[in-house]
Amino acid sequence: MRVVLIVEYDGTDYCGWQCQPNGLSVQEVMENCFFEATGEKTVLTASGRTDSGVHALGQVVHFDTALEQPAESFKHVFNAVLPPDIKVRQSFEVAKNFHARYSAKKKTYVYRTYISPIELPLKRRFAAQIFGKIDMDKMLSAKKLIEGTHDFAAFCASGSSAKSTIRTVFSIDIERRGDDIDFYVSGNGFLYNMVRIIVGTLLAVGYGKISESDVANAISFGERKNLGKTMPACGLTLCRVEYSEI
Amino acid sequence: MRVVLIVEYDGTDYCGWQCQPNGLSVQEVMENCFFEATGEKTVLTASGRTDSGVHALGQVVHFDTALEQPAESFKHVFNAVLPPDIKVRQSFEVAKNFHARYSAKKKTYVYRTYISPIELPLKRRFAAQIFGKIDMDKMLSAKKLIEGTHDFAAFCASGSSAKSTIRTVFSIDIERRGDDIDFYVSGNGFLYNMVRIIVGTLLAVGYGKISESDVANAISFGERKNLGKTMPACGLTLCRVEYSEI
């Protein structure tokens, strides 16, 4: 039986989703918990890696099991042994050909920021501090250049192993409430650090540090140098992954 | 010179504001940081203790110093050495007769809750998990019994050393957004655990576990036994303290 898990985690204390030689990963913790609870060894496959320190509200994970029990009960199996910063919100059976990564059609991330001259104790865990006066209209104009199907080579951290750098960004929604600005970014897939570079770039436009034409040139010619900085991991949360099948 | 600090802290890893023989307090950390930064020993006086694990968005603290520098600069003096979970948002000079505790006229706390069958990794730090179907109308009706000037002896944890148990609750505002319910409670002062017992009591009414008359009797006759449970510390944040002088 193939089972899907919808997983929420606070990524602060983890080196990301995927097992790494240095540092504890969410995957490793979950696989160990499953073995501890059931005695069965399994491999968990997620919709994608999240980087070190990145959070998830709805990471989608699949695994195969020979255990004969209702798929819905695996939620409780995991939660009984998982630490408080990782929990399974749902578990259910899927078709054998479902794949958490390859079947994904749409992913939505939120990047949370707050404007403050000092790093705030009550916000720092799940949002990134930003400074100064930001021109929202400039950001709302620049985000239209990023939406759509483009070669996002310039929006990709070095060291990425992606074969193609063409991706479709379905939408970028920027929500401001007082000093909090949240960026919702939906796409069919993202390159390494792509969401964090998109947000850094929109903020650089909002501060007037770079122009809309810098963004247009980056998309046309793949030039990273005139884009904004990569924002820190703490502000990023994988909200949800959508599939046509489930 | 007497200086006031507006302090924000994530109380998760502290035993509360006040120095305790067992466990690290916010006060102790701040006094040590000040000594480390300036070489001057000082005692910080807060508007009130916050309990172990309780947070503050705007705790008000005063201290006296012989250092000759602008009061505004003490914000930076503290922040340069404070850990990331405690920060000073403002510092300014006040009259010598100002007292963070005795001069306080109004305190506002928020108690944050979320409805979920499992404890959620992204909410658990600053909100308390609650269960099931809640009747908002019953809570909105019961909160009116608590607002006003009453003897709150029944809403006080045992072990409290308060001389009088009469307090005025100016207002209780209950805000619901989806599965999140926030309780804003303002008063001229609060007994030990009083806000957490008020919220536990309103939730008990909302669940139908106790009736409005149980609440009325508790206020009239000081009977604790028919009230709700004391809610956990993690959901409580001291929002602001108001004074007539500053």
Side-chain angles (χ1 to χ4, degrees):
Chain A
M1 171 170 62
R2 183 157 288 191
V3 176
V4 154
L5 308 172
I6 310 294
V7 186
E8 176 169 329
Y9 50 84
D10 173 348
T12 308
D13 297 331
Y14 298 98
C15 67
W17 165 261
Q18 197 165 61
C19 291
Q20 301 283 346
N22 50 346
L24 191 66
S25 68
V26 178
Q27 180 187 6
E28 190 181 341
V29 170
M30 291 191 70
E31 288 176 357
N32 290 345
C33 282
F34 190 73
F35 180 70
E36 187 191 320
T38 67
E40 190 186 65
K41 287 208 172 183
T42 191
V43 174
L44 301 181
T45 302
S47 70
R49 310 173 185 194
T50 50
D51 291 338
S52 179
V54 172
H55 319 290
L57 196 57
Q59 171 68 287
V60 177
V61 171
H62 82 254
F63 70 101
D64 293 319
T65 179
L67 296 170
E68 292 186 356
Q69 58 183 84
E72 289 67 25
S73 71
F74 285 110
K75 176 175 111 169
H76 306 295
V77 168
F78 275 101
N79 287 340
V81 281
L82 280 170
D85 52 5
I86 306 175
K87 289 292 165 196
V88 175
R89 299 195 62 158
Q90 291 179 60
S91 62
F92 49 88
E93 190 174 356
V94 285
K96 268 287 185 188
N97 65 349
F98 174 87
H99 192 284
R101 184 168 165 204
Y102 300 131
S103 308
K105 300 287 183 224
K106 182 179 175 182
K107 286 186 190 177
T108 301
Y109 283 90
V110 61
Y111 195 94
R112 300 188 195 283
T113 68
Y114 61 94
I115 301 170
S116 170
I118 54 167
E119 197 187 41
L120 297 177
L122 299 191
K123 291 188 174 172
R124 59 185 282 273
R125 202 169 178 94
F126 300 115
Q129 177 197 5
I130 59 173
F131 300 93
K133 219 174 146 63
I134 290 179
D135 187 327
M136 288 295 290
D137 290 337
K138 278 188 178 169
M139 292 207 291
L140 291 168
S141 178
K143 69 118 180 166
K144 291 178 191 158
L145 298 171
I146 299 171
E147 287 169 335
T149 302
H150 307 288
D151 185 338
F152 282 98
F155 291 80
C156 176
S158 57
S160 172
S161 59
K163 283 174 195 163
S164 163
T165 48
I166 293 172
R167 294 289 185 280
T168 300
V169 172
F170 299 125
S171 62
I172 301 175
D173 293 309
I174 309 175
E175 294 183 6
R176 182 165 185 168
R177 298 176 312 283
D179 287 336
D180 295 329
I181 308 180
D182 294 340
F183 300 78
Y184 288 87
V185 185
S186 287
N188 65 350
F190 294 96
L191 302 168
Y192 186 46
N193 280 355
M194 182 170 150
V195 177
R196 290 156 63 183
I197 296 171
I198 287 175
V199 173
T201 298
L202 290 174
L203 287 167
V205 172
Y207 289 138
K209 285 183 183 171
I210 64 171
S211 65
E212 276 196 39
S213 62
D214 289 326
V215 179
N217 285 337
I219 291 171
S220 301
F221 309 116
E223 280 184 12
R224 171 91 180 87
K225 71 176 176 355
N226 289 326
L227 291 184
K229 63 170 186 170
T230 304
M231 294 295 288
C234 63
L236 189 62
T237 302
L238 173 59
C239 293
R240 60 181 172 276
V241 188
E242 291 166 69
Y243 300 85
S244 46
E245 298 99 290
I246 60 172
Chain B
M1 171 169 61
R2 183 156 288 189
V3 176
V4 154
L5 308 172
I6 311 293
V7 186
E8 176 169 330
Y9 49 85
D10 173 348
T12 309
D13 297 332
Y14 297 98
C15 68
W17 164 262
Q18 197 165 60
C19 292
Q20 301 283 345
N22 50 346
L24 192 65
S25 68
V26 178
Q27 180 186 6
E28 189 181 340
V29 169
M30 292 191 69
E31 288 175 357
N32 289 345
C33 283
F34 190 74
F35 180 69
E36 187 190 318
T38 67
E40 190 185 66
K41 288 207 171 182
T42 192
V43 174
L44 302 180
T45 302
S47 69
R49 310 173 186 194
T50 50
D51 290 339
S52 179
V54 171
H55 319 290
L57 196 56
Q59 171 69 287
V60 177
V61 172
H62 82 254
F63 70 102
D64 292 318
T65 178
L67 296 169
E68 293 187 357
Q69 58 183 83
E72 290 68 25
S73 70
F74 285 110
K75 175 174 110 169
H76 306 295
V77 168
F78 276 101
N79 287 341
V81 282
L82 280 170
D85 51 6
I86 306 175
K87 290 290 165 197
V88 176
R89 298 194 63 158
Q90 290 180 60
S91 62
F92 49 88
E93 190 174 356
V94 285
K96 267 287 184 186
N97 65 347
F98 174 88
H99 193 284
R101 184 167 165 208
Y102 300 130
S103 307
K105 300 287 182 223
K106 183 180 174 182
K107 286 185 189 177
T108 302
Y109 283 91
V110 61
Y111 196 93
R112 300 188 193 283
T113 68
Y114 61 95
I115 301 170
S116 170
I118 54 167
E119 197 189 39
L120 296 178
L122 300 190
K123 291 189 174 172
R124 60 185 280 274
R125 203 170 177 93
F126 301 114
Q129 177 196 6
I130 58 172
F131 299 94
K133 220 173 146 63
I134 290 180
D135 187 327
M136 287 295 290
D137 290 337
K138 277 188 180 170
M139 290 206 292
L140 290 168
S141 176
K143 69 119 180 166
K144 291 177 193 159
L145 298 171
I146 299 171
E147 287 169 336
T149 302
H150 307 289
D151 185 338
F152 283 98
F155 292 80
C156 176
S158 57
S160 172
S161 60
K163 283 174 196 160
S164 163
T165 49
I166 294 173
R167 295 289 185 279
T168 300
V169 172
F170 299 126
S171 62
I172 301 175
D173 294 310
I174 309 175
E175 294 184 6
R176 182 165 186 168
R177 299 175 312 283
D179 287 336
D180 295 327
I181 307 179
D182 294 340
F183 299 78
Y184 288 88
V185 185
S186 288
N188 65 350
F190 294 95
L191 302 168
Y192 186 46
N193 279 355
M194 181 171 151
V195 177
R196 290 156 63 184
I197 296 170
I198 286 176
V199 173
T201 298
L202 290 174
L203 287 168
V205 172
Y207 290 137
K209 286 184 184 170
I210 64 171
S211 66
E212 276 195 40
S213 62
D214 289 327
V215 179
N217 285 336
I219 290 172
S220 300
F221 308 115
E223 280 186 12
R224 171 92 182 85
K225 69 176 176 358
N226 289 326
L227 291 184
K229 63 171 187 171
T230 304
M231 295 295 288
C234 63
L236 189 61
T237 301
L238 172 59
C239 292
R240 60 182 172 276
V241 188
E242 291 166 68
Y243 300 84
S244 46
E245 299 98 291
I246 60 171

